[in-house]
Each structure stands twice: as structure tokens, then as C-alpha cells.
Amino acid sequence: MKTPFEELPVELPSHLDEILSACPGYTVARNEAELVELAVKDRSNGWHEVAYDVPGMGSVTEARVCRVHNGIAANYVDPYMRRRDPECMLIADDQPTDKPRFKERFDKDFEEVRQETFEWLKTQELALFLFMAGGAEEGLPAMAVAPANAGFFALGLALLQGILDPEQLPGDELFAPKSIIYVAPPFRHSHFGGKQIVVHNRLPQMHELFSYNLYPGPSAKKGVYGVLINHGEKEGWVTAHCATVRSINPAGEEIIFMHEGASGGGKSEILQHMHREEDGSLRLAWKNGDGGGPEEKLLSLADACDLMPVTDDMAMCHPSLQSDNGGLALMDAEQAWFIRVNHITESGTDPHLEHMTVDPSEPLLFLNIQTEPGDTALIWNHIMDEAGDPCPNPRVVIPRRAVPDVVDGPVKVDVRSFGVRTPPCTRELPTFGIIGLMHVLPPALAWLWRLAAPRGHDNPSIIDTEMMTSEGVGSYWPFATGRMVSQANLLLEQFAKTSSVLHILCPNQHVGAWETGFMPEWIAREYLSGRGSHPFSPDEITPARCPLLGYALGSMEIAGQTVPDELLRVELQEEVGNEAYDAGAGKLIRFFHQEIEKFDRPDLDPVGRRIIQACLQNAPVETYEGFFAGARTADI
């Protein structure tokens, strides 16, 4: 047990004082190293079992944890716990929300379960620590309360959001948490039928977050994200769902890319170097040829851009960072990155990331990685959900300070891109996979893409069987606790004020009939790093056949090599053609109409309502150019 809280400059709510007075003991962690030790404190033969007694079920093991050469590895016994359940969030309070309320789903007030949670915590040895949600500059004072045997979960949260040593708190005022996370894993079985449940309770002076599962995604990461979104909604700013990178071309010119998108939309990948073939070439696209053999489109690029990562998933666009020059400034809202590595299937796939995780400067947290105590956790050794079926969501948590060339502090965005996972599109099976390698969007149309935020095809990160569903406003709606229109208005204001930003759309996985992986966003990044983010001239772009896709590029040249036109305009592919393209466009249009109609409410900003009406009337792309003064996609 560490120093009792009554000896520290920390102000706790009365019920937490009662919990700490009644529990068998508690540890106040001061740093990540202490949580690393706590994560495997009760190990036997190298394995620490995270298990709880559940009434009617006996002891239930949630996870097995071991110390490895490069950190801590945790694997969940139940494959369901290896991905985020998109239906996990519930709202307990009576404040305005468009999200499901706890009372609606379970037909009782949450207060009863809240008190039961506190009573259960009184029976447990606990681990606690302090942090600033969102960062020290503009973040919220926060605290975590978890059972001590779930040290790996606490470690994940501490890596993601940082940890404060309570004996070294600055200033003379008491540290008064404005948000507290309470973790009670067995309630998943005793109260919620085995489902992941995360409950937000927005009290007047406190945002309580109750995590009834041990996968960090819904609570330690996205739960804290919900706290920040709620905080920003009150003050009129956005925490964007994006990865951000500074790209430096061979001539030394810099450009900042902000890449948004629903889960699986390529956020983490925008930070990665392009994957190369053994001979160093880039495989732009590939498919089975007419003879059944592989057909490829390759590109040679000797000198690629240098990359300096800025954010991985959450970016604070706080008013204190902004200026009146038409730009958008942001900074990282996290202290570590929660990186999915399902695409790393063998050594050599991504040497940069592999080196960073095999021999890190400090312990990392690995999830869903097959390893043994004392071994080196390898990010391409994914645990099997069942025989022959690898987990689609292996993860590693890497502190920002361990990432080479990371950019600290705020940056100004030059290019704002949106990514979406796309299926193959052919004459035989027309789909929304009609998006070319890169499209240019007017800001008003880019705003609509944030409202619809299609989750896309074959998503590896969450439990979902639908081919195309929506994650909603800004793609962060699954984590927001308030109202859709409130966030839509905040985003609309942001787009209207950032007229100097270039907006683009990039697919991943497929461009028409061709498979591409994440190459479209990498090629777009390389292309714009050389070209710059200034508006396009009329001879560089042409209205896409589907107006929702804005402008298609007339041509794209990189290092003297031309990207095939059929990768820029999918209707040119012989496997697709106009008829299949239009059928796929129809599906995309119907999806957009279905999603954006939800925002057409009286309290939506009038400009936003006009943009939505233009979309519902299938307006041409030129219509979207006139909604925001000073914002021009092209010199037309």
C-alpha cells in the first residue's frame, strides 16, 4: 500500500473515501513502472490470471497476463472481449442525449447498480492513479479506480492518458478530479449477460465512467474520449477522431496531414511508411487476371517522404490553439497510441513499427498477441480466435515518447482527409467500392462525409456484420454522450472557419475491382507532399461521376510516373463500367440520404440544413462550393 490519500493534496468524493476506508487495501500508483509490476503481481509459472468470483458461475477468468522481454502481454479468454462492442455505451443521467439510456435498456435506474459497484469495490484490493484526461494543458483532472489484479488494464489507461505522481502535484490547490473511471469486471456476467457495458454518468461537477469489462477500447480509450467530447461540447470545441502526420518531401518541404475516418478507415496507417515489395517497388493495386494468375500495378519510388507523427486517434482542437487565418490547429489528446497490427502478418511487413515494438525504450502493452512469459512479443504472432482463425484486432500500446521523431505541441493542418474501407466493385456485384484512389472535396461536402462517416467493409476492430453502417458525426459519434446536432453544429463551424485546409477522400482495401490495402492514402500523401495543398486548377480535376465523391483527378504523376487513370476514375475499369458504377453510386447515395436526414432538425445551423437539402436533391458538386465564404476547392 502506498501513501494514504488523506496525506496527499487530492480531494476525493465522499463515497470514494468510504470505498478506500472499507477495502482490504489499495495502491496509489505513481508511474507506469509500478503498474507494470502490478499487472503480473500474482503470477504463477509466469502467468497472472485475472479472475473474479461471479455468483452462480464460480471463478471466471477474464484474461491471462505475462511479463515479456518488451513489456506486458494480455490475452482474453473470451474471443468476444478482443474487440469493441459498438453497442456498449449507455447513459445513466438525465442530461440531453441521443444515446441509449441505461434505464431504457435494463428497465431500472442506474443508481442501484452504481451503489452495488461501490459495494463490490469495497471488497477488493484496489489500484488507483491520477491523470489529466486530454493532456496537461487543456485536459480534465481525472482518476482511475480498478481492482488491483487488473493491473494490465490500469497500465493501458496510464499509457494512453499519462499518470501523475500525487506526491509531485504542482501548485498549492488540491487536485480535484472532474472525471473518475470505476472498473468492475465481474458485473459483465452478473448484471449484463456477458456483454461489454460502459456507463457514463454526467453529474453536475463530475463525469463518472463505469467500465464493466477489461478491454481498454470501450473505456480506457473511447470512454475517456467520451469524457473529452462532453467537455468540449459544453465549451464549444471538438476533439477530432484522427491521426496526424508531418510529411517532409525530399526537397525538405513540409505538409501536415490530418486523416479522419470510422474504425478501420486508415488513421493509424497514415502514420506508417509505405509497404514495399522485396525489390523496393510499390504495389499500387492487384487482382486475379483473366488467366487466373495475379495481375499487378507497380510504381517505383526511390525517395519517399520522411514522416513525423503527431497524433494517432484523438486530437484536441481547443480554441486556445486557433488563429483567425483560416487554418485548423490541433494537438494530441493522448500520451500513447493504441495501434492495430492485424495487417502485420510476417516479419518485414513494416520494419519501422516492428523495430519500435521488438526493442522498445520502455515496456509496451500487447493485446491479443500469442507469446509466452519471458519471450519477446512479436506483433505478427496474432492469437487465434479459433483454430485457423486469427484474431482480427491484435493491438499494441506505444507511448508517444517512445515513438521516433514524434511532434510535440500543436500543429497547423494543411490537408484534411477522410478514409473509408471499400469492398470490390464489379459488374457482377456493384457496390460502393467506386471511390477512386483520391478525390478532392469542397468543405461543405467534406462536412457531409463526417456526418455520414461510413464504417465500411470488413471492419477488423469491432463486432459488426453489416457491410456498410455509419459511425456518425466526425466518426467519433460512437463515443459521444450528447446530441448529434450539437456535434454537427460544432463541426460545421469548424469547417466554415478553416477555409485554407484542403479536403480529400481516400478509400482503402479496394478501388473498384482492384485490391489496394492502404496504398491509396499513402500515395495521396506522397503526391500532395510534392504538389502542396493549394487549390486545384480546373484542368487538374473533374467532377466525379457520383457527386458525393466531389472531384476526381484528371491525372496523377509521382516521380515522373503516371498512376493509371482507372485507379482515379473507377468507371474506366473494364470490370466495372458506367452501369455498375452507377449502381454502386446509387447504394452510396441512398446510404447518405438515410444518414444525413437524421441531422435535419430545427436546431441545426441553417447553413447545415441547406447543405443537407442540396444533398437530398442530388446537387452537383459545384453547388457545395458556395456554402462557406472564402473556402474554395478549386480555382473555378
Side-chain angles (χ1 to χ4, degrees):
M1 181 185 296
K2 303 299 180 186
T3 305
F5 261 111
E6 56 264 25
E7 300 179 17
L8 297 173
V10 181
E11 182 180 355
L12 300 181
S14 59
H15 64 265
L16 185 50
D17 270 332
E18 293 176 7
I19 291 171
L20 298 184
S21 297
C23 74
Y26 63 87
T27 294
V28 182
R30 297 172 297 176
N31 51 54
E32 290 95 339
E34 293 184 354
L35 293 174
V36 167
E37 295 303 317
L38 190 66
V40 291
K41 182 173 71 73
D42 298 324
R43 59 188 178 275
S44 175
N45 296 321
W47 288 103
H48 172 97
E49 301 279 339
V50 184
Y52 302 93
D53 289 328
V54 179
M57 297 178 67
S59 180
V60 176
T61 300
E62 291 286 348
R64 301 180 74 233
V65 185
C66 68
R67 186 73 160 90
V68 291
H69 164 72
N70 43 349
I72 295 292
N75 284 313
Y76 301 93
V77 175
D78 184 356
Y80 162 77
M81 284 302 301
R82 298 170 187 166
R83 287 188 283 175
R84 174 172 58 88
D85 189 330
E87 305 301 325
C88 65
M89 174 191 279
L90 294 171
I91 306 300
D93 55 74
D94 294 326
Q95 294 186 39
T97 185
D98 290 329
K99 289 298 181 67
R101 297 186 185 271
F102 184 92
K103 187 172 184 179
E104 294 168 352
R105 185 160 170 180
F106 294 105
D107 198 28
K108 62 179 178 181
D109 288 331
F110 177 67
E111 183 59 28
E112 177 183 338
V113 179
R114 179 175 180 264
Q115 293 301 324
E116 290 176 355
T117 305
F118 294 157
E119 291 302 312
W120 181 81
L121 289 170
K122 290 177 182 179
T123 69
Q124 302 295 305
E125 184 177 346
L126 300 176
L128 307 95
F129 68 89
L130 309 176
F131 63 100
M132 290 293 292
E137 290 83 359
E138 303 295 346
L140 277 180
M143 182 177 180
V145 181
N149 73 335
F152 85 93
F153 178 92
L155 172 63
L157 174 57
L159 290 173
L160 287 165
Q161 284 295 322
I163 183 170
L164 299 175
D165 186 341
E167 297 180 7
Q168 297 182 10
L169 291 173
D172 299 327
E173 295 184 5
L174 292 177
F175 184 93
K178 299 299 182 184
S179 179
I180 299 180
I181 300 177
Y182 298 98
V183 184
F187 280 50
R188 178 168 82 93
H189 304 285
S190 61
H191 289 66
F192 306 123
K195 295 295 185 181
Q196 298 175 20
I197 294 293
V198 175
V199 180
H200 288 258
N201 191 31
R202 301 167 296 174
L203 303 175
Q205 302 300 322
M206 173 71 69
H207 191 139
E208 294 180 338
L209 182 67
F210 292 83
S211 177
Y212 295 114
N213 72 93
L214 287 178
Y215 179 50
S219 47
K221 184 167 178 60
K222 302 306 186 185
V224 173
Y225 197 175
V227 171
L228 288 176
I229 294 170
N230 180 64
H231 180 50
E233 186 173 319
K234 293 177 181 177
E235 296 187 350
W237 52 274
V238 168
T239 300
H241 193 205
C242 69
T244 314
V245 65
R246 174 182 289 161
S247 178
I248 306 171
N249 69 20
E253 299 165 329
E254 299 182 356
I255 189 168
I256 301 289
F257 290 85
M258 170 188 183
H259 187 79
E260 298 167 279
S263 181
K267 293 183 294 298
S268 293
E269 286 76 13
I270 199 67
L271 305 178
Q272 297 177 9
H273 293 274
M274 297 181 291
H275 294 182
R276 293 180 180 270
E277 301 301 292
E278 290 185 1
D279 63 359
S281 65
L282 302 175
R283 189 164 64 147
L284 292 181
W286 58 96
K287 66 175 181 177
N288 288 328
D290 294 337
E295 185 177 343
E296 299 177 321
K297 296 184 183 295
L298 302 175
L299 185 71
S300 296
L301 188 63
D303 297 320
C305 293
D306 292 327
L307 303 178
M308 300 180 67
V310 182
T311 78
D312 174 68
D313 188 67
M314 295 158 50
M316 294 181 73
C317 305
H318 195 273
S320 65
L321 308 177
Q322 311 307 319
S323 60
D324 296 326
N325 60 2
L328 173 63
L330 55 78
M331 65 183 299
D332 205 344
E334 298 180 287
Q335 301 302 312
W337 297 342
F338 194 54
I339 300 176
R340 187 181 65 250
V341 292
N342 65 304
H343 62 292
I344 310 290
T345 56
E346 60 183 358
S347 175
T349 304
D350 188 337
H352 179 74
L353 183 60
E354 292 163 25
H355 175 73
M356 197 189 314
T357 57
V358 166
D359 192 23
S361 58
E362 59 187 276
L364 309 180
L365 176 62
F366 298 86
L367 300 174
N368 307 327
I369 298 294
Q370 184 65 52
T371 190
E372 295 292 329
D375 287 354
T376 297
L378 303 173
I379 56 177
W380 56 87
N381 285 346
H382 309 155
I383 197 170
M384 294 290 167
D385 279 356
E386 55 187 58
D389 185 16
C391 172
N393 194 38
R395 296 274 182 168
V396 58
V397 184
I398 303 178
R400 292 185 91 254
R401 58 183 175 266
V403 177
D405 301 320
V406 71
V407 178
D408 293 320
V411 298
K412 179 185 174 184
V413 173
D414 298 298
V415 178
R416 189 170 183 174
S417 60
F418 190 86
V420 58
R421 298 180 71 89
T422 45
C425 177
T426 63
R427 297 180 191 275
E428 293 75 24
L429 185 61
T431 69
F432 65 93
I434 59 170
I435 305 174
L437 187 144
M438 174 187 134
H439 288 266
V440 181
L441 303 178
L445 184 55
W447 175 71
L448 287 182
W449 272 93
R450 271 62 177 185
L451 298 193
R455 186 175 290 153
H457 168 69
D458 192 25
N459 190 299
S461 301
I462 61 172
I463 298 164
D464 195 3
T465 57
E466 295 291 333
M467 190 173 186
M468 191 176 192
T469 54
S470 171
E471 285 197 357
V473 282
S475 79
Y476 58 77
W477 177 243
F479 330 125
T481 60
R483 298 181 63 240
M484 295 170 64
V485 168
S486 299
Q487 292 300 320
N489 282 333
L490 288 175
L491 282 172
L492 185 73
E493 180 182 15
Q494 185 184 71
F495 275 82
K497 289 182 176 180
T498 54
S499 57
S500 67
V501 176
L502 175 68
H503 301 276
I504 66 171
L505 173 69
C506 289
N508 68 68
Q509 306 314 309
H510 297 89
V511 171
W514 292 82
E515 192 170 351
T516 61
F518 291 95
M519 194 57 72
E521 66 186 62
W522 294 333
I523 292 297
R525 183 186 65 199
E526 201 72 25
Y527 170 68
L528 291 173
S529 293
R531 178 197 180 277
S533 62
H534 50 274
F536 284 79
S537 63
D539 60 347
E540 290 181 289
I541 56 176
T542 184
R545 187 174 179 88
C546 174
L548 289 178
L549 302 183
Y551 298 97
L553 296 187
S555 63
M556 176 185 283
E557 186 176 292
I558 299 176
Q561 300 165 85
T562 300
V563 173
D565 288 347
E566 61 183 4
L567 293 181
L568 304 177
R569 300 186 299 282
V570 170
E571 68 271 25
L572 300 180
Q573 296 180 16
E574 61 180 1
E575 302 90 345
V576 183
N578 290 343
E579 185 176 349
Y581 179 101
D582 291 344
K587 294 179 180 181
L588 182 64
I589 290 168
R590 287 191 292 274
F591 169 80
F592 258 72
H593 288 183
Q594 168 189 307
E595 295 303 324
I596 66 173
E597 281 184 324
K598 301 174 185 176
F599 296 89
D600 193 11
R601 302 180 185 178
D603 51 345
L604 181 68
D605 185 285
V607 174
R609 298 193 75 182
R610 291 199 298 272
I611 295 172
I612 287 176
Q613 288 303 312
C615 180
L616 294 177
Q617 296 167 13
N618 297 318
V621 62
E622 293 85 355
T623 300
Y624 296 101
E625 294 283 5
F627 285 108
F628 298 144
R632 305 297 295 176
T633 303
D635 294 326
I636 57 176

